[in-house]
Amino acid sequence: MAAATAAEAAAAAARAKKLNLEKATNFMRQYRDPQSRELKKLSANQFMEVWSHYDKDGNGYIEGTELDGFLREFVSSANATDVSPEAVSDAMLVELKQCFMEAYDDNQDGKIDIRELAQLLPMEENFLLLFRFDNPLESSVEFMKIWREYDTDGSGYIEADELKNFLRDLLKEAKKINDVSEDKLIEYTDTMLQVFDSNKDGRLQLSEMAKLLPVKENFLCRQVFKEGIEGATKLTKDDIERVFSLYDRDNNGTIENEELRGFLKDLLELVKKDLQDFEETILRGVDYNQDGKINRKELTMILLALAKHNQEEDTSA
């Protein structure tokens, strides 16, 4: 009996040693079925392990040498015999990358973000649903409505318990039923925080939540607006009117509440500042009637000021 137990322990140790060796030489091999070589369904935590392993610099993308390493290991791990990632030649890698990016690089930026990786790897259904929205948000105004709904304490952050409520509602909406256990919700919340909480403070700020809940388009990044903002002389009355109508969703003649914060969120992507401080600065500078709203004249002042700021930065550079 003791001999059998010792033999089992030795066999378990040998398997663990083999797994550790595979992880060291090819991280993806551990997630494939030993016989069929097909990828096994990943849990939320396993998906996080894969993401963290390949996004080595933690910038939210698998790119450059990270992407090369992932592709080499992804392909070579499918071989029934143990072959090293180096078995994928440089020429094969170029062709592989081109095919892979055509299939999975949805926004064609030459790198893989977490949503694109989620399309590639098989995962448990509920967790996968968090990366797939049937109706992507049309604008940052919609985003800010959701933000305000779940930032229940008005702290300017989505705390862990608020994020859990958001994920619960998101899954309920996606599946139309509520069959996700509390333990799974906690696991999903922890995983999402690990993935999207880039400054690791245990909560999501606006820019981090925006990666979890992406908007289809930043209106201010449309070429016509970028060209106008980059040079005050190019900014026309029609440009101002178009920007205004895009954010004045209720057509009441002012940009206010979620409309205002949605506009500022888009603007922040151009100037990279904190939303709350930026909102106070903007309103202090241009909200002459101090009503907490922006009218057409005040919007014109903001866009012209931004144009001037960009010109000064270009000159100093």
Side-chain angles (χ1 to χ4, degrees):
M1 184 74 173
T5 305
E8 288 173 3
R15 285 195 298 271
K17 185 176 181 181
K18 184 174 185 292
L19 179 62
N20 288 333
L21 181 63
E22 287 178 349
K23 285 174 71 173
T25 56
N26 188 324
F27 192 79
M28 287 304 302
R29 188 176 292 281
Q30 63 185 305
Y31 299 113
R32 290 192 181 274
D33 183 274
Q35 275 72 48
S36 68
R37 308 313 302 165
E38 290 183 1
L39 286 167
K40 295 180 281 190
K41 195 168 283 189
L42 272 59
S43 69
N45 288 333
Q46 288 172 326
F47 178 76
M48 181 62 206
E49 285 176 5
V50 173
W51 176 258
S52 299
H53 180 79
Y54 291 105
D55 179 25
K56 295 185 186 300
D57 59 7
N59 73 339
Y61 298 99
I62 297 174
E63 57 185 334
T65 55
E66 297 170 343
L67 181 58
D68 291 350
F70 169 72
L71 291 176
R72 287 183 190 276
E73 294 191 7
F74 183 80
V75 171
S76 58
S77 67
N79 285 300
T81 55
D82 289 345
V83 295
S84 71
E86 285 69 33
V88 178
S89 68
D90 291 344
M92 193 188 302
L93 180 64
V94 170
E95 187 175 342
L96 174 66
K97 188 187 290 188
Q98 183 177 351
C99 296
F100 183 87
M101 299 306 272
E102 281 179 9
Y104 294 103
D105 184 19
D106 292 337
N107 57 5
Q108 299 181 330
D109 62 356
K111 47 194 178 185
I112 294 296
D113 64 28
I114 197 153
R115 289 181 183 286
E116 292 162 344
L117 185 68
Q119 292 180 40
L120 170 67
L121 301 179
M123 293 190 289
E124 55 187 61
E125 183 188 5
N126 283 333
F127 188 63
L128 183 59
L129 285 172
L130 297 178
F131 295 98
R132 293 182 174 174
F133 303 114
D134 292 333
N135 301 300
L137 297 179
E138 289 290 334
S139 73
S140 288
V141 176
E142 289 180 53
F143 174 92
M144 291 310 304
K145 285 179 181 175
I146 293 173
W147 174 271
R148 298 268 287 192
E149 182 180 345
Y150 290 97
D151 179 20
T152 50
D153 58 3
S155 66
Y157 296 92
I158 301 292
E159 316 284 346
D161 59 332
E162 295 167 337
L163 178 61
K164 187 173 74 170
N165 290 335
F166 168 73
L167 296 180
R168 179 190 286 114
D169 290 348
L170 194 62
L171 286 169
K172 196 186 298 184
E173 176 62 26
K175 296 202 74 172
K176 310 300 181 189
I177 52 175
N178 190 14
D179 64 347
V180 183
S181 70
E182 192 68 13
D183 286 346
K184 273 294 175 188
L185 266 176
I186 291 170
E187 180 188 340
Y188 293 165
T189 302
D190 289 344
T191 304
M192 289 302 201
L193 276 174
Q194 287 181 67
V195 172
F196 293 104
D197 178 21
S198 53
N199 63 354
K200 306 303 177 192
D201 63 354
R203 56 191 183 177
L204 298 184
Q205 59 191 27
L206 193 82
S207 59
E208 293 166 341
M209 185 69 172
K211 289 181 180 177
L212 170 59
L213 192 63
V215 171
K216 191 182 290 184
E217 178 184 25
N218 177 340
F219 292 137
L220 297 179
C221 287
R222 288 183 181 179
Q223 195 59 33
V224 62
F225 300 146
K226 287 182 76 175
E227 288 173 356
I229 287 170
E230 283 164 4
T233 55
K234 297 179 184 175
L235 203 60
T236 68
K237 186 178 179 180
D238 286 344
D239 292 336
I240 300 290
E241 190 59 41
R242 269 180 288 176
V243 175
F244 193 87
S245 62
L246 285 168
Y247 293 98
D248 180 21
R249 309 295 274 188
D250 58 8
N251 297 312
N252 73 343
T254 59
I255 298 174
E256 57 187 318
N257 300 324
E258 279 79 14
E259 297 169 344
L260 173 59
R261 292 186 178 89
F263 167 68
L264 293 175
K265 175 184 170 292
D266 285 347
L267 204 55
L268 283 175
E269 291 184 23
L270 302 179
V271 298
K272 312 290 184 193
K273 290 184 183 289
D274 174 77
L275 179 66
Q276 193 167 356
D277 293 343
F278 191 57
E279 182 177 350
E280 291 171 3
T281 303
I282 287 288
L283 291 178
R284 193 165 56 242
V286 303
D287 184 22
Y288 298 119
N289 56 5
Q290 298 183 333
D291 61 356
K293 309 171 186 178
I294 291 178
N295 59 34
R296 284 173 175 79
K297 287 183 179 178
E298 291 165 344
L299 177 69
T300 305
M301 292 296 294
I302 292 171
L303 296 181
L304 289 175
L306 183 60
K308 183 181 178 185
H309 170 76
N310 286 345
Q311 286 176 336
E312 287 173 352
E313 281 203 338
D314 290 342
T315 304
S316 61

